[in-house]
Amino acid sequence: MEDTVTSKDELQEGYTYTLSAGVGEHFDPEFKPSLTPQEMLELGIMGGAYFSNAALQEFPETWYRKAKRSKDGLQHKELNFFNVSASQSRKEWQKKGWIDKDDPRGWIQWYFRYYLGRRLPEIDARQIKRWKAFRRHATQIQRNCKPKDLVCRPRQRQSLLHWAYDSRRM
């Protein structure tokens, strides 16, 4: 039985989608993120200001119990795991063509919805291709840093965290 989710996000009022896979199940075989949405939020991503309160209601409350969240809605680099700013603005994402109507908050919103069980084959293929291309940053860390040296290339490490790669293991 498929469930329907209605987004309460102010960027996407009335948007609905169907969950056709179980939470965290039936991923594309080429898509193997090393972090769940909950783990990403607990570690600290996007300066703690990625989702508004309304948008939070779309995802399981358990994902946010230990999340590092901004109290004022602004990004704070100290809420990121690596204590650095490592993201561009949504305007910049739009200018580069990285945003689509189904996920106006970008890749992370796509991943959270995909993890929840939404499947949109064309969009999924595009986002998985982007995720695989981001792996180049992990390769740079592996080539230029000593194993598990978390102070080496912190911006790249934080960026990888935003893409569900866990560079703490590298």
Side-chain angles (χ1 to χ4, degrees):
M1 183 179 206
E2 295 181 339
D3 290 323
T4 300
V5 175
T6 300
S7 172
K8 293 178 175 56
D9 188 332
E10 64 273 8
L11 295 179
Q12 202 174 38
E13 286 185 36
Y15 176 77
T16 61
Y17 60 90
T18 302
L19 302 178
S20 57
V23 176
E25 297 179 355
H26 307 294
F27 282 19
D28 181 293
E30 293 191 26
F31 184 54
K32 297 175 183 166
S34 55
L35 295 165
T36 67
Q38 182 174 341
E39 290 168 329
M40 292 167 67
L41 291 164
E42 288 176 3
L43 287 169
I45 58 168
M46 306 303 285
Y50 193 70
F51 291 110
S52 67
N53 287 336
L56 293 175
Q57 296 174 25
E58 183 178 336
F59 304 107
E61 184 269 331
T62 55
W63 291 7
Y64 295 96
R65 284 191 186 139
K66 296 179 185 176
K68 293 184 179 181
R69 294 196 46 222
S70 170
K71 294 191 186 338
D72 61 11
L74 302 173
Q75 286 196 23
H76 298 278
K77 68 180 183 178
E78 48 286 342
L79 293 175
N80 284 336
F81 183 82
F82 291 98
N83 294 303
V84 294
S85 180
S87 58
Q88 297 176 342
S89 70
R90 189 172 170 280
K91 274 187 177 177
E92 190 65 27
W93 299 347
Q94 288 172 312
K95 193 164 58 172
K96 292 182 178 181
W98 296 339
I99 300 292
D100 62 57
K101 67 177 179 55
D102 287 287
D103 300 305
R105 294 184 183 273
W107 188 88
I108 293 174
Q109 186 175 37
W110 168 82
Y111 175 49
F112 282 26
R113 288 173 170 174
Y114 187 87
Y115 193 92
L116 202 58
R118 182 189 73 175
R119 298 295 182 266
L120 301 172
E122 284 183 35
I123 292 171
D124 297 347
R126 178 179 161 267
Q127 295 291 20
I128 291 168
K129 182 178 178 181
R130 291 181 66 218
W131 175 82
K132 286 170 54 178
F134 211 81
R135 173 88 178 116
R136 71 186 180 278
H137 294 284
T139 301
Q140 290 173 3
I141 288 171
Q142 290 167 330
R143 287 184 181 159
N144 294 292
C145 300
K146 293 177 182 171
K148 298 185 182 181
D149 178 2
L150 299 185
V151 296
C152 181
R153 297 186 176 232
R155 287 196 67 208
Q156 275 187 311
R157 288 179 181 277
Q158 185 66 44
S159 293
L160 284 163
L161 184 61
H162 295 170
W163 285 79
Y165 285 103
D166 192 352
S167 73
R168 299 173 303 165
R169 300 176 188 163
M170 297 176 192

